């Protein structure tokens, strides 16, 4: 069997019909390459699975990139704290980027960090295409995805939480209190974590012998406003729920607001459960019953994994889900007897 041909810059340059320095400029994120040429080289790098080889003199640069799709919630701050914990242990700094899109880092962003170098990228809540993964690999940028937007590709390193079990635990808690009419407000329907929490909710109802009422399931955007708006929708039903499981704490705070605006008391008239256990959950009034998602631990682990990949290690397992736990506080109680 013939030996597999080694993919080199020279090989890519020959196939692209350009010089070796031109290919090197593309790999290193240099701007002085024509768009059409850059696209041709990028395509060949992806097709050949090229990965830049680091030399023995290439050591850590002391920077870890933390990349968010959005940072509109205190949820992001918990992840930043976790990444910084690991970074401090290695005397590194965390650089935060906001993409304002869930489609993953674009070529411009990848070129920028390739030009300045990084010890690795932690990409939060985004979907990475195989082309984007190839662009990161070609530039020898280690990366780990936290809370991936969709199903992680085979071989991609990711860190998440047991969202399904969290949804199940929240629903079972409300069922055990005596609630049978339970509303559910999820996040965007195309997000993996949101689907998993809703599936856990469905499983909780079904194992209790209750039918799942589609009218009681709503979707939002994991922000306070959607919790308020969807809370109003649920509470306006002819047969409204006596409890609502919100897909995140921020949505739960929105449900609090909707209940207050309708003259309802939590938990006397409406029980509410959140998801995340943000610091605000403890200081809310009433203190929020919620599912604890170990956000700081998730980001700290992702940082350790990305630094290990940078040292040439292969994390095992490559896909990690940290446990969630129900934290019972004062926003849930048995349903009021009519």
């Amino acid at each position: 069997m013939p030996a597999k041909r080694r993919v080199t810059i020279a090989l890519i340059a020959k196939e692209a019909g350009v010089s070796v320095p031109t290919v090197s400029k593309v790999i290193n994120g240099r701007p002085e390459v024509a768009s059409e040429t850059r696209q041709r080289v990028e395509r060949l790098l992806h097709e050949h699975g090229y990965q830049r080889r680091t030399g023995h003199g290439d050591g850590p640069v002391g920077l870890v990139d933390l990349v968010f799709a959005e940072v509109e919630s205190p949820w992001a701050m918990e992840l930043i704290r976790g990444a910084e914990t690991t970074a401090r242990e290695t005397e590194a700094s965390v650089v935060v980027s906001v993409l304002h899109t869930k489609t993953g880092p674009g070529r411009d962003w990848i070129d920028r960090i390739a030009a300045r170098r990084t010890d690795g990228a932690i990409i939060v809540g985004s979907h990475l295409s195989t082309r984007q993964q190839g662009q990161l690999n070609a530039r020898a940028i280690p990366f780990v995805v936290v809370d991936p937007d969709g199903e992680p590709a085979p071989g991609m390193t990711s860190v998440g939480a047991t969202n399904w079990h969290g949804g199940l635990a929240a629903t079972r808690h409300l069922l055990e209190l005596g609630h049978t009419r339970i509303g559910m407000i999820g996040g965007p329907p195309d997000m993996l974590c949101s689907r998993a929490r809703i599936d856990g909710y469905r499983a909780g109802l079904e194992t209790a012998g209750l039918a799942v009422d589609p009218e009681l399931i709503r979707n939002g955007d994991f922000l306070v406003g959607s919790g308020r708006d969807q809370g109003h929708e649920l509470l306006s039903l002819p047969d409204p729920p006596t409890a609502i499981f919100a897909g995140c704490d921020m949505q739960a705070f929105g449900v609090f607001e909707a209940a207050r605006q309708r003259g309802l008391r939590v938990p006397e008239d409406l029980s509410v459960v959140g998801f995340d256990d943000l610091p605000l959950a403890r200081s809310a009034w009433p203190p929020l019953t919620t599912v604890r998602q170990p956000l700081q631990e998730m980001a700290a682990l992702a940082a350790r994994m990305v630094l290990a990949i940078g040292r040439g290690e292969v994390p095992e397992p490559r896909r990690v889900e940290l446990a969630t736990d129900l934290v019972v506080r004062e926003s849930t109680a048995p349903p009021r007897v009519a």
Side-chain angles (χ1 to χ4, degrees):
M1 181 177 179
K4 186 177 179 180
R5 182 170 55 168
R6 178 185 173 189
V7 180
T8 63
I9 291 180
L11 173 65
I12 300 295
K14 181 179 179 181
E15 292 196 16
V18 299
S19 68
V20 168
T22 296
V23 177
S24 181
K25 287 176 183 178
V26 172
I27 292 171
N28 289 289
R30 299 278 297 277
E32 58 269 22
V33 180
S35 176
E36 184 180 338
T37 301
R38 180 182 294 275
Q39 290 176 15
R40 187 164 68 252
V41 171
E42 287 278 9
R43 178 177 56 80
L44 289 167
L45 289 169
H46 174 67
E47 289 176 357
H48 285 287
Y50 174 83
Q51 183 167 354
R52 181 171 61 185
R53 290 167 175 78
T54 55
H56 294 296
D58 291 340
V61 296
L63 290 177
V64 175
D65 280 80
L66 183 57
V67 189
F68 290 95
E70 301 286 352
V71 285
E72 296 180 353
S73 166
W75 172 88
M77 184 56 65
E78 294 302 293
L79 292 170
I80 292 170
R81 290 190 179 110
E84 285 188 330
T85 297
T86 295
R88 281 198 304 271
E89 294 170 357
T90 59
E91 298 184 349
S93 298
V94 175
V95 180
V96 177
S97 301
V98 184
L99 302 175
H100 302 291
T101 175
K102 294 185 182 297
T103 58
R107 195 193 67 216
D108 290 347
W109 180 87
I110 294 172
D111 284 347
R112 285 199 303 273
I113 67 166
R116 67 163 164 78
R117 295 188 61 209
T118 181
D119 292 328
I122 303 167
I123 301 169
V124 181
S126 293
H127 175 74
L128 284 184
S129 67
T130 54
R131 178 170 291 276
Q132 288 164 331
Q133 294 175 54
Q135 290 170 340
L136 290 164
N137 288 330
R139 291 157 177 79
I141 300 172
F143 66 94
V144 173
V145 178
V146 171
D147 207 8
D149 187 34
E151 189 70 22
M156 188 171 75
T157 306
S158 66
V159 178
T162 53
N163 291 292
W164 186 90
H165 286 95
L168 178 65
T171 307
R172 280 182 171 168
H173 168 65
L174 293 169
L175 290 166
E176 288 166 1
L177 288 173
H179 296 276
T180 56
R181 188 86 176 146
I182 302 170
M184 171 76 215
I185 304 175
D190 58 345
M191 287 191 69
L192 183 65
C193 65
S194 176
R195 296 200 306 269
R197 292 169 198 176
I198 293 174
D199 287 346
Y201 157 85
R202 291 176 182 273
L205 294 177
E206 289 168 353
T207 55
L210 297 175
V212 177
D213 185 348
E215 260 199 329
L216 293 178
I217 302 175
R218 305 298 166 109
N219 288 97
D221 59 7
F222 283 148
L223 297 175
V224 172
S226 71
R228 180 193 61 237
D229 296 343
Q230 298 303 328
H232 275 303
E233 291 286 334
L234 288 168
L235 296 171
S236 296
L237 292 172
D239 184 12
T242 60
I244 294 177
F245 168 34
C248 70
D249 289 352
M250 301 307 291
Q251 285 181 326
F253 300 147
V255 174
F256 277 11
E257 185 178 349
R260 179 184 59 78
Q261 291 173 350
R262 304 177 77 87
L264 300 176
R265 298 166 298 165
V266 176
E268 292 86 352
D269 303 311
L270 178 71
S271 287
V272 181
V273 179
F275 200 109
D276 283 333
D277 196 24
L278 300 174
L280 289 171
R282 296 186 288 276
S283 57
W285 189 255
L288 180 65
T289 295
T290 187
V291 176
R292 180 179 182 270
Q293 180 176 205
L295 295 169
Q296 291 193 31
E297 293 93 327
M298 288 162 61
L301 174 60
R304 288 195 294 273
M305 293 171 81
V306 82
L307 292 171
I309 294 170
R311 294 192 298 267
E313 302 172 17
V314 178
E316 289 295 342
R318 298 195 75 120
R319 183 174 178 180
V320 178
E321 289 189 343
L322 299 185
T324 52
D325 299 290
L326 181 70
V327 180
V328 179
R329 296 195 179 99
E330 297 171 38
S331 67
T332 50
R336 186 177 60 181
V337 178

